């Protein structure tokens, strides 16, 4: 496990990026991500991508750009909210086990099992003993996934207090977005110091070789989206060997019978 600097000490400054350059980079990254997904569909690979962080930090926008152009049947986005009554009666990891991707699929989580050591810890939804032992439980959970061949990408989308305030006020001023602001947001913002401590503990105790953390500085949304996609691509490419691009002989025979087509045959 690595040693992280305090979250509030991370450099949030990033230079401007013009729209054409951003769109060009974004398109290239999305194309690369689709290529990686097609490889996994063919090879039966699985990936779990989790995004945690502050409200209004840009998790949703990052995920939206991440899934753009991906194969929809092989991409599953889970937006995790408060557990249901039935889920509360089970171990907190159960609802995540039930959402893990099948072979050839990717599971993308907008908020994750780390809620146990974040909001549940801060708001008292679990006991101190429960959230303290959750670090071990989570590490073991992720280790089991990694041992079973699942690649894990963990993103912590971080935003400064000043930028968070700006975005919240913009939401309040925008009739199409003010539904996103509730009293819970103000309670969370008022407890920023406690959340920073919880995030720092989480990074320190759950940054592992099989499930490393990646902090995405998000005061500049364009830079954050590009950086987030670069991290996902790097992690999903690590140690990957593309499968052989071979057609099923039965498919070749069917195409030859129906259209007279043969492998390597040029179009007329």
């Amino acid at each position: 496990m690595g040693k992280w600097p305090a979250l509030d000490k991370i450099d949030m400054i990033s230079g401007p990026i013009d729209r054409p350059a951003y769109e060009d980079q974004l398109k290239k990254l999305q194309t690369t991500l689709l290529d990686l997904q097609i490889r996994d569909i063919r090879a039966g690979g699985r990936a779990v991508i989790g995004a945690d962080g502050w409200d209004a930090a840009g998790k949703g926008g990052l995920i939206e750009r991440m899934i753009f152009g991906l194969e929809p049947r092989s991409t599953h986005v889970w937006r995790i909210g408060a557990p249901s009554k039935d889920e509360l009666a089970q171990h907190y990891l159960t609802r995540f086990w039930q959402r893990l991707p099948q072979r050839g699929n990717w599971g993308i989580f907008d908020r994750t099992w780390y809620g146990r050591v974040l909001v549940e810890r801060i708001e008292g939804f679990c006991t101190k003993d429960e959230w303290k032992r959750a670090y071990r439980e989570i590490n073991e959970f992720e280790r089991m996934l990694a041992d079973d061949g699942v690649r894990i990408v963990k993103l912590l989308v971080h935003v400064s207090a000043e930028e968070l305030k700006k975005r919240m006020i913009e939401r309040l001023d925008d009739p199409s977005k003010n539904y996103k602001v509730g009293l819970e947001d103000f309670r969370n913002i008022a407890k920023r110091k406690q959340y920073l401590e919880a995030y720092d503990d989480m990074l320190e105790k759950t940054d592992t070789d099989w499930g490393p953390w990646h902090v995405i500085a998000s005061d500049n949304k364009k830079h954050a989206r590009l950086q987030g996609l670069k991290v996902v691509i790097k992690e999903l490419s690590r140690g990957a060997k593309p499968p052989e691009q071979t057609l099923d002989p039965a498919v070749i025979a069917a195409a030859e019978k129906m259209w007279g087509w043969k492998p390597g045959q040029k179009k007329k």
Side-chain angles (χ1 to χ4, degrees):
M1 300 183 192
K3 174 65 177 177
W4 282 87
L7 199 59
D8 61 350
K9 303 297 183 183
I10 290 175
D11 184 10
M12 301 297 292
I13 300 174
S14 56
I17 179 171
D18 63 81
R19 173 64 67 172
Y22 164 71
E23 295 290 353
D24 181 62
Q25 290 186 54
L26 182 63
K27 184 177 180 180
K28 290 177 180 177
L29 291 170
Q30 289 170 333
T31 299
T32 300
L33 202 57
L34 175 59
D35 289 342
L36 288 171
Q37 185 187 36
I38 291 173
R39 180 206 65 198
D40 270 1
I41 291 173
R42 288 175 171 150
R46 291 173 292 163
V48 167
I49 303 166
D52 272 294
W54 309 92
D55 288 329
K59 298 185 302 300
L62 171 56
I63 291 173
E64 183 180 339
R65 274 73 182 179
M66 190 186 304
I67 66 174
F68 182 84
L70 294 182
E71 290 289 339
R73 289 182 297 178
S74 299
T75 308
H76 305 276
V77 178
W78 303 104
R79 302 193 182 278
I80 303 301
S84 67
K85 183 178 179 180
D86 289 339
E87 289 170 337
L88 284 171
Q90 302 170 331
H91 191 280
Y92 70 96
L93 287 174
T94 301
R95 60 176 175 153
F96 299 103
W97 273 111
Q98 294 171 341
R99 291 170 168 83
L100 293 177
Q102 298 179 1
R103 298 197 179 280
N105 286 252
W106 289 0
I108 301 172
F109 291 81
D110 184 347
R111 296 198 180 282
T112 69
W113 40 94
Y114 284 95
R116 172 56 53 122
V117 296
L118 296 172
V119 63
E120 293 181 36
R121 164 183 171 171
I122 302 301
E123 300 300 333
F125 296 148
C126 63
T127 67
K128 185 175 181 178
D129 285 342
E130 287 173 331
W131 65 256
K132 286 181 78 68
R133 74 166 183 258
Y135 298 121
R136 172 179 54 80
E137 294 171 338
I138 288 170
N139 285 337
E140 291 173 352
F141 168 63
E142 292 177 356
R143 182 58 184 263
M144 284 190 288
L145 295 182
D147 286 347
D148 197 39
V150 179
R151 283 158 300 145
I152 304 167
V153 186
K154 302 187 306 194
L155 307 174
L156 175 55
V157 187
H158 180 53
V159 66
S160 66
E162 295 76 14
E163 180 64 20
L164 180 60
K165 174 184 175 181
K166 175 184 173 183
R167 292 180 188 178
M168 283 295 184
I169 291 176
E170 288 177 350
R171 285 183 174 184
L172 289 169
D173 287 336
D174 187 344
S176 69
K177 294 183 179 180
N178 57 28
Y179 73 92
K180 295 182 178 182
V181 183
L183 290 177
E184 182 180 347
D185 294 303
F186 293 94
R187 289 194 295 270
N188 291 344
I189 292 170
K191 296 178 180 179
R192 185 178 177 90
K193 184 177 180 180
Q194 293 172 259
Y195 273 98
L196 282 170
E197 180 182 352
Y199 280 126
D200 288 339
D201 285 348
M202 178 191 76
L203 290 172
E204 178 65 23
K205 293 180 171 64
T206 62
D207 181 43
T208 60
D209 291 339
W210 56 89
W213 275 107
H214 304 273
V215 177
I216 307 298
S218 187
D219 275 15
N220 183 308
K221 288 184 178 181
K222 291 187 181 70
H223 279 287
R225 291 163 183 168
L226 296 177
Q227 181 60 24
L229 265 64
K230 289 176 183 177
V231 167
V232 172
I233 289 169
K234 180 180 178 181
E235 291 302 306
L236 296 187
S237 301
R238 194 181 301 278
K241 295 181 180 179
E244 295 182 7
Q245 307 293 314
T246 56
L247 278 172
D248 184 337
V251 172
I252 295 175
E256 183 176 2
K257 180 179 180 181
M258 182 168 289
W259 301 310
W261 175 88
K262 295 181 180 180
Q265 180 176 300
K266 295 183 179 180
K267 294 180 180 179
K268 295 181 179 180

